[in-house]
Amino acid sequence: MDVVQLQRQLVDYKASLYNEAILDEQFTQLQELQDENNPDFVVEVVSLFFEDSERLLNELTKALEQQNIDFKRVDAHVHQLKGSSSSIGAQRVQKVCIAFRNCCEEQNVQGCLICLQQVKNEYSLVKTKLETMFKLEQQILAAGGSIPV
Amino acid sequence: MVDGSAEDMGLMNNFTVLVVDDDPIICKVHDLLLKKFGLKPQVVENGRKAVDLCLACGTFNLILMDKEMPVMDGVEATRELRAIGVNSLIVGVTSRGSPDEKKAFMEAGLDFCFEKPLTPEKITILLHELNQNN
C-alpha cells in the first residue's frame, strides 16, 4: 500500500474513533501538545494510561471479590480510572466509570460487577483501537510519509 | 500550536507554578501544557506535600490544586494554605462534579475552579490574571 493510501486509511480510522465516541476532544488536545521537542508525547501518555488502567482493573476485580466489599476503596479506584480516561479522551471508559461510581454510592454489588465488566470491555476496545492507530502511524513514517493532522 | 504564545500575547511568564495532583497522567499533561507557555512547574502528589513545600521554600505565584487526593485533599490543603497566609493564585482543578462540590472547594479559598484537564485557553486566562496581579 502506498503512503497516500495509508494516510487516507489513518484519517478515516481516526474519524471513526471520534464518531463512535471512543475518543473525544481531549485526545485532540494531546496531539496538539506533541511537537518536535516532544515527539512521543501521545504514545507516552497513552502508555501511562494503559499501565495505570490495567493496575486499577486488577485492584477493582480483587476488591469486588471480597466477602465484605469496601465500597469506598472501589469508588476511589473508579474515580482514578475516570480521571485518567478523561485525560486521554477515552470517552466511553469515562462514561462507564460515572455509572460505576453511582453503583458504589448505592452499595449495589450486582451493579458494580456489571459495570466492572463493561469498563473492562470498553478499556479493551480503546486499547485495541489506539494500538491499531499507532501501528498505522508507524507504517506511514516507515514508508517515508508524514502523519496527517 | 501554543509555542511562544505567552510572548505573542505580550504577557510575562516568569511565574513559579506548583501542580498538586495524584494522577500521573494529569501531571504529565499539565506539565507539558505549562512548559509550552514557558512555565516550569514543580509537581507534588498530595495536599500535605504542597503545604510542606510552601512552608519550606516560600510560596508560588500559581498553584494548580486537584480536589481528590490521598493524605490531604485539595479542599483541606487550600484552607491550610490560606490560613498560613499564602496568597498565591490557587486554582482548583476538578473532574466533572456536582456544583455543590465546586462551591465547597471555592469556599476553601480558591481564586478559580476549572474542570480538568486544563486547556491552552484556561492557561491564557490564568496568565492574564498573573500579569494583572504582579
Side-chain angles (χ1 to χ4, degrees):
Chain A
M1 208 183 284
D2 73 350
V3 175
V4 177
Q5 274 183 293
L6 283 171
Q7 287 170 326
R8 202 170 299 150
Q9 215 187 351
L10 179 63
V11 169
D12 289 344
Y13 195 71
K14 272 187 182 164
S16 74
L17 297 184
Y18 285 94
N19 289 335
E20 293 165 33
I22 293 174
L23 291 178
D24 68 21
E25 164 64 21
Q26 185 48 36
F27 189 76
T28 315
Q29 295 269 359
L30 287 187
Q31 292 185 303
E32 288 176 359
L33 281 175
Q34 184 163 291
D35 60 16
E36 320 80 58
N37 296 324
N38 304 279
D40 303 312
F41 181 67
V42 177
V43 171
E44 283 171 11
V45 176
V46 171
S47 303
L48 255 181
F49 170 68
F50 290 161
E51 273 171 40
D52 212 42
S53 302
E54 272 152 43
R55 176 185 61 87
L56 289 168
L57 289 172
N58 281 336
E59 294 290 329
L60 281 167
T61 308
K62 268 192 278 183
L64 287 170
E65 279 170 356
Q66 300 305 308
Q67 279 275 26
N68 293 321
I69 296 175
D70 181 349
F71 285 101
K72 268 200 147 166
R73 199 180 155 80
V74 174
D75 184 67
H77 290 319
V78 178
H79 172 80
Q80 274 197 288
L81 185 57
K82 176 167 159 280
S84 50
S85 58
S86 162
S87 309
I88 70 143
Q91 204 191 91
R92 279 158 60 153
V93 176
Q94 187 201 0
K95 284 217 160 83
V96 179
C97 288
I98 294 172
F100 203 154
R101 289 197 85 186
N102 289 335
C103 293
C104 289
E105 220 172 309
E106 298 162 7
Q107 306 217 345
N108 175 355
V109 180
Q110 265 311 105
C112 282
L113 289 170
I114 291 172
C115 285
L116 178 60
Q117 195 48 56
Q118 279 181 330
V119 87
K120 279 179 175 174
N121 292 344
E122 291 299 346
Y123 167 70
S124 213
L125 181 61
V126 75
K127 182 164 192 263
T128 307
K129 297 279 182 176
L130 283 171
E131 284 173 340
T132 303
M133 195 188 77
F134 290 144
K135 236 178 249 158
L136 261 173
E137 288 183 347
Q138 287 309 306
Q139 281 180 297
I140 292 172
L141 292 172
S146 61
I147 311 292
V149 270
Chain B
M1 282 302 280
V2 298
D3 281 16
S5 47
E7 286 86 54
D8 290 345
M9 292 182 286
L11 293 172
M12 286 200 316
N13 61 359
N14 52 345
F15 301 109
T16 52
V17 184
L18 177 63
V19 172
V20 189
D21 203 308
D22 63 333
D23 179 349
I25 295 170
I26 280 284
C27 289
K28 197 173 163 76
V29 173
H30 284 173
D31 181 72
L32 184 56
L33 179 57
L34 292 164
K35 282 196 171 111
K36 292 263 178 168
F37 280 86
L39 298 162
K40 293 183 196 67
Q42 272 201 262
V43 182
V44 293
E45 77 243 21
N46 64 53
R48 175 84 265 148
K49 293 196 173 174
V51 174
D52 290 347
L53 190 59
C54 286
L55 282 170
C57 310
T59 192
F60 295 83
N61 296 116
L62 172 64
I63 300 176
L64 296 176
M65 185 79 79
D66 181 27
K67 186 166 172 288
E68 293 185 43
M69 293 177 285
V71 184
M72 184 192 283
D73 72 12
V75 179
E76 212 192 315
T78 303
R79 240 181 246 135
E80 263 206 43
L81 287 170
R82 292 305 191 204
I84 62 178
V86 166
N87 58 2
S88 320
L89 195 68
I90 305 183
V91 177
V93 180
T94 63
S95 37
R96 246 163 287 182
S98 66
D100 294 330
E101 282 180 30
K102 220 174 169 179
K103 189 162 173 276
F105 202 1
M106 284 296 293
E107 283 171 359
L110 295 178
D111 294 294
F112 293 96
C113 196
F114 288 137
E115 272 176 14
K116 59 165 114 176
L118 295 173
T119 59
E121 293 72 35
K122 290 171 187 167
I123 305 292
T124 305
I125 291 172
L126 295 177
L127 271 179
H128 275 291
E129 270 302 306
L130 288 168
N131 270 259
Q132 277 197 329
N133 300 343
N134 290 283

